[in-house]
Amino acid sequence: MRPEDLLCPSPKGLYCPPADLHIDPLRPVERALVTHGHADHARPGNASVMATPETLAIMAARYGEAFCATRQPAAYGEVHDVGGGVRVSFHPAGHVLGAAQILLEWKGFRAVVSGDYKRAHDPTAATFEVVPCDLFITEATFGLPVFRHPDAAGEVAKLLDSVELFPDRAHLVGAYTLGKAQRLMKLLRQAGWDRPIHLHGAMERVTETYRALGIDLGETIRVMAADRKALAGAIVLCPPSALRELWARKFPDPVTVAASGWMRVRARARQKGVELPLVVSDHADWDELRQTILDTGAEEIWVTHGEEDALVHWCGAAGLKARPLRLVGYGDEGEAEETPAEEDAH
């Protein structure tokens, strides 16, 4: 059989004809399988959604309980018959809490849709699991050789060193609201930071959802307008967009920090006015992408959202059949994440 008989690109996203369902659909559909809760993969308005219990809880927190008509939780490793002879199961992707790779099995053929993934340690997410398959659909956000991520604990140590060096300055850390922020909180706790971590109001809802799902993040305090000038020596987490807004200027001589895989490119850090760039990514780097492709044993690779051409070229040189999917609508979710207007006053 051809892989295209099981999965194919469509205007609404990746489509599975035998089961008549979409994976991470770009527009509302009748039946959706969702890999994780970031806004470029998990959109509201679908009639039916199957995802891990954690992803369903995150979607409810971000979009409200009515984000879909019906929902079906799929715990890691459970096998579900979704019709047309197709069976699906969800496996840890390591990206954020609840993130999953989706395995589809049909007529003896195995296809894995990775969603977004990483293999580095993350104390807030289940560890990535290699899933053997015939077709592997991989992301390529950091699919260039320049992107080799350092140990995140070492990057957090740089932040703590700066706080110690500049005790009269607030450290404002731009981090994605879902996943990156909570990972940083947990890494800070593990590094010995026992003081409160201050949060932009936009981060509260997702952070409370993590707590409700059993992730201990220590004491966090919402930043209020009247408190900002008194936060010398504090660590404050906020959406990346907030670093460029008036909100950030009200703190005592703030140190602008950004935690992202993109901080590997120093010109990008300078362009964004980042004083302390931290290379902390929730995506696989170049080495992890290549290793994962080999580990799956897949004979065919489809590459999506990111540096598709470079990874496709490497696959070809390694003797693997590969193609770019050219799906539009997925990407680096944090770059599109805007600060809610109602939070600007806080």
Side-chain angles (χ1 to χ4, degrees):
M1 61 164 282
R2 301 180 311 152
E4 292 83 357
D5 294 334
L6 175 61
L7 288 169
C8 59
S10 80
K12 292 185 177 181
L14 201 58
Y15 178 60
C16 175
D20 189 21
L21 56 78
H22 290 78
I23 299 175
D24 292 349
L26 299 163
R27 297 197 291 274
V29 298
E30 283 298 311
R31 304 175 69 204
L33 308 181
V34 175
T35 60
H36 67 281
H38 277 138
D40 60 333
H41 290 256
R43 293 170 166 87
N46 299 300
S48 172
V49 172
M50 179 185 287
T52 65
E54 295 86 353
T55 293
L56 293 173
I58 288 167
M59 291 181 72
R62 302 193 97 179
Y63 303 129
E65 292 293 338
F67 70 88
C68 68
T70 61
R71 64 185 82 169
Q72 182 176 357
Y76 290 136
E78 289 181 352
V79 178
H80 298 262
D81 185 342
V82 292
V86 178
R87 302 195 310 163
V88 304
S89 54
F90 288 63
H91 304 266
H95 180 54
V96 297
L97 180 63
Q101 307 167 82
I102 299 177
L103 168 64
L104 298 93
E105 300 178 272
W106 185 58
K107 297 183 177 180
F109 186 83
R110 292 165 60 90
V112 169
V113 182
S114 72
D116 291 332
Y117 65 95
K118 72 171 180 291
R119 301 183 69 163
H121 172 66
D122 182 342
T124 66
T127 302
F128 178 89
E129 173 186 306
V130 173
V131 183
C133 56
D134 303 295
L135 168 67
F136 184 56
I137 302 178
T138 180
E139 63 140 315
T141 303
F142 293 108
L144 289 173
V146 68
F147 292 112
R148 288 180 164 91
H149 305 323
D151 178 49
E155 298 298 286
V156 167
K158 293 179 184 177
L159 171 60
L160 293 177
D161 288 345
S162 182
V163 173
E164 183 177 1
L165 187 61
F166 302 109
D168 296 328
R169 304 178 68 183
H171 282 66
L172 307 188
V173 184
Y176 306 158
T177 298
L178 167 58
K180 183 70 61 64
Q182 294 75 30
R183 184 184 181 196
L184 286 174
M185 292 178 211
K186 193 69 174 179
L187 288 171
L188 282 165
R189 299 307 185 196
Q190 291 181 344
W193 182 262
D194 57 4
R195 292 163 54 185
I197 297 172
H198 299 264
L199 303 182
H200 187 287
M203 292 187 159
E204 279 197 312
R205 186 175 299 171
V206 172
T207 299
E208 288 307 314
T209 302
Y210 265 61
R211 283 200 177 95
L213 293 169
I215 307 299
D216 181 10
L217 301 171
E219 183 183 5
T220 58
I221 300 175
R222 176 176 175 154
V223 174
M224 305 301 289
D227 301 333
R228 281 179 284 192
K229 291 184 178 180
L231 291 180
I235 294 176
V236 182
L237 300 186
C238 63
S241 57
L243 293 175
R244 303 186 294 272
E245 297 178 351
L246 181 62
W247 178 87
R249 302 174 198 165
K250 303 292 186 178
F251 293 87
D253 192 17
V255 177
T256 302
V257 186
S260 170
W262 297 111
M263 292 299 102
R264 171 63 75 187
V265 182
R266 296 307 183 189
R268 185 167 183 144
R270 289 193 298 270
Q271 179 186 17
K272 292 183 174 295
V274 174
E275 186 173 348
L276 178 59
L278 303 178
V279 184
V280 180
S281 176
D282 286 333
H283 295 265
D285 66 7
W286 175 248
D287 292 335
E288 290 175 323
L289 289 168
R290 295 183 301 156
Q291 188 62 53
T292 302
I293 288 170
L294 296 175
D295 287 347
T296 65
E299 296 180 355
E300 186 162 347
I301 311 300
W302 293 356
V303 185
T304 184
H305 61 284
E307 300 293 340
E308 298 179 355
D309 292 338
L311 199 56
V312 167
H313 176 78
W314 176 84
C315 287
L320 298 170
K321 184 179 180 181
R323 58 172 283 200
L325 283 189
R326 310 289 190 207
L327 291 174
V328 177
Y330 304 102
D332 190 24
E333 62 281 339
E335 291 300 303
E337 186 178 85
E338 294 299 326
T339 307
E342 65 268 20
E343 300 295 351
D344 291 346
H346 300 294

